Amino acid sequence: MSAAALVVVSACTRKDTPTADSPNAPAIVSSAAAAVAEPVMRAAAPEKVAPRFVGRWVPDGSGMRCSWSGSYVVGRFKGTGLSARIKDEGFNLFQVVIDGEPKKVLRTDKAKGEALYQLADGLPDAVHEVSLHRRTEAKVGEAVVYGFEVTGGKLLPPPPPLERRIETIGDSISTGYGNEGPGAACGYVNAEQNEYATYGAIAARNLNAEHTTIAWSGKTLHEMKVYFDKSLPQRADSPRWDFTQYQPQAVVVNVGTNNFALVDPGEARFVRLYHELIQVVRTAYPKAFIVCALGSMLSNVYPEGRHSLTQARKYMKVAVAKLKEAGDTNLEFLEFPEQNHADGLGCGFHPSLKTHKLMSDRLTAFIKERMGW
């Protein structure tokens, strides 16, 4: 045990303790100092090392609370195993990543309240990096992460933040709805949703960037405008997010698919709603490059006769052109290819893991070209 981890505690007086009258007695500062005891070595309380929280986390006692999918925690440690102390208030799942490699999927249990969950064991006794990513979306419920605890070692300061930052604003496509599902016929199952494997998250890793995902299944342009500044979107009284905490250089807005769910919204209405959403995004991120993305779920085949993909493409291009005419030139239109059934389908005809990978390749190349990353 190192000297830094020890404290010396006074105990009973030794018989050979010199008195003030002794010729060789040291100066006595206080009576407590005079009663010098045999040193008793007691371990000091371990120093707490805080991990780094990426995304919209809100302080909650000694922990941090999140709701948005893709929120994650980053740390470093030396040791052979690691656990995380978590309180789940929903039915969430987390992706555990050790040294850059996805490992176990952690399913937390609402019934346990605050509990310690093992993330990894049997690791080489060396320095490791860990990240814990929320796979499930806001509607599943909030969760509080209190930090990491190491087996056979100690926590180290987390790695520094990456210089590049991306945010994805979207709906079910961007949350990873059903991307691990068996096929189109299944409905929503939290275990089959994986934000870590979405096009936005993969592209961020391709570009060595941190990322946040502000997305909720089924939401329209207007609804995402309303939800955009919320820290905990399930709450009517959600605190407003402080945008100074995270300023992305690139923002991907993939919203509008649900505006075509029931009827064709019409060009004028769609353009107005699109401009309203982009305006709140631009106010929050004045310097960001905005990717105005379309796809990959809309089709000209279904609903029959509506030609939803053609109409959405037309409306979005008009919306982007008018934004540029009004003076906002730091944005571009990007269309993801329509998903191919041969590449598989996620639940509810959502993009499969393969389609998300193809989308991420397109987005990665687009941002590299436009931003020089």
Side-chain angles (χ1 to χ4, degrees):
M1 187 175 291
S2 67
L6 303 175
V7 292
V8 179
V9 182
S10 298
C12 56
T13 305
R14 290 177 53 184
K15 290 182 180 179
D16 58 348
T17 300
T19 67
D21 297 326
S22 301
N24 298 320
I28 297 176
V29 177
S30 67
S31 58
V36 178
E38 293 284 357
V40 177
M41 300 305 186
R42 181 177 299 168
E47 181 182 357
K48 285 201 170 185
V49 179
R52 186 162 55 83
F53 292 84
V54 183
R56 296 190 182 181
W57 294 85
V58 177
D60 187 299
S62 59
M64 297 289 280
R65 178 179 292 270
C66 74
S67 188
W68 290 108
S69 53
S71 305
Y72 61 104
V73 191
V74 182
R76 289 174 70 246
F77 66 99
K78 184 181 187 303
T80 59
L82 187 75
S83 299
R85 188 166 295 279
I86 302 170
K87 179 173 69 172
D88 188 2
E89 296 179 357
F91 301 93
N92 287 289
L93 291 95
F94 296 84
Q95 179 67 56
V96 179
V97 179
I98 304 291
D99 297 329
E101 294 293 327
K103 299 296 184 182
K104 71 186 292 183
V105 175
L106 174 67
R107 181 191 293 270
T108 48
D109 187 347
K110 181 178 180 180
K112 288 183 177 181
E114 181 183 330
L116 192 64
Y117 296 90
Q118 186 179 76
L119 306 185
D121 64 346
L123 298 172
D125 188 7
V127 174
H128 303 279
E129 290 191 7
V130 59
S131 56
L132 183 66
H133 302 253
R134 177 173 167 142
R135 292 166 45 117
T136 39
E137 64 179 282
K139 68 179 182 180
V140 176
E142 296 174 7
V144 182
V145 176
Y146 296 92
F148 297 125
E149 298 184 18
V150 181
T151 303
K154 64 179 180 178
L155 288 173
L156 302 171
L162 301 175
E163 292 184 2
R164 298 172 179 173
R165 297 174 298 279
I166 297 175
E167 180 159 290
T168 301
I169 302 167
D171 48 37
S172 56
I173 298 171
S174 300
T175 67
Y177 183 112
N179 59 353
E180 292 192 348
C186 54
Y188 180 79
V189 179
N190 62 346
E192 293 167 353
Q193 179 178 47
N194 184 1
E195 190 279 341
Y196 185 79
T198 60
Y199 71 94
I202 298 171
R205 293 194 292 276
N206 289 344
L207 295 163
N208 194 32
E210 295 191 335
H211 85 283
T212 50
T213 297
I214 308 302
W216 190 316
S217 294
K219 299 305 182 187
T220 62
L221 288 163
H222 174 71
E223 289 171 317
M224 284 312 299
K225 184 191 79 169
V226 172
Y227 279 82
F228 173 65
D229 68 352
K230 295 183 182 296
S231 300
L232 302 170
Q234 276 194 306
R235 303 185 182 196
D237 61 345
S238 168
R240 185 178 186 276
W241 177 247
D242 177 7
F243 290 101
T244 64
Q245 294 191 44
Y246 185 89
Q247 282 284 311
Q249 296 100 331
V251 177
V252 182
V253 179
N254 190 1
V255 187
T257 297
N258 290 306
N259 289 79
F260 288 84
L262 301 176
V263 297
D264 184 332
E267 181 179 308
R269 176 175 171 77
F270 185 93
V271 170
R272 175 175 60 82
L273 293 173
Y274 199 85
H275 283 187
E276 290 175 357
L277 175 58
I278 297 299
Q279 183 178 14
V280 299
V281 174
R282 177 57 75 205
T283 300
Y285 306 130
K287 297 181 179 180
F289 172 62
I290 299 177
V291 180
C292 299
L294 171 64
S296 61
M297 287 184 67
L298 288 175
S299 169
N300 284 331
V301 177
Y302 181 86
E304 187 177 353
R306 290 248 302 268
H307 302 286
S308 295
L309 177 56
T310 296
Q311 295 300 91
R313 181 188 299 121
K314 175 187 173 184
Y315 300 166
M316 283 193 64
K317 286 186 174 181
V318 169
V320 171
K322 288 187 174 181
L323 286 165
K324 289 186 174 183
E325 289 172 7
D328 190 347
T329 58
N330 198 19
L331 47 78
E332 293 290 344
F333 172 76
L334 168 68
E335 182 174 349
F336 292 114
E338 182 181 349
Q339 59 196 26
N340 186 341
H341 288 210
D343 293 329
L345 291 171
C347 295
F349 291 88
H350 283 79
S352 64
L353 291 174
K354 183 174 181 180
T355 300
H356 274 284
K357 175 62 169 59
L358 294 171
M359 293 172 68
S360 75
D361 292 343
R362 182 71 170 264
L363 181 60
T364 299
F366 188 79
I367 292 179
K368 278 184 176 180
E369 178 185 347
R370 295 303 193 277
M371 303 188 67
W373 281 7

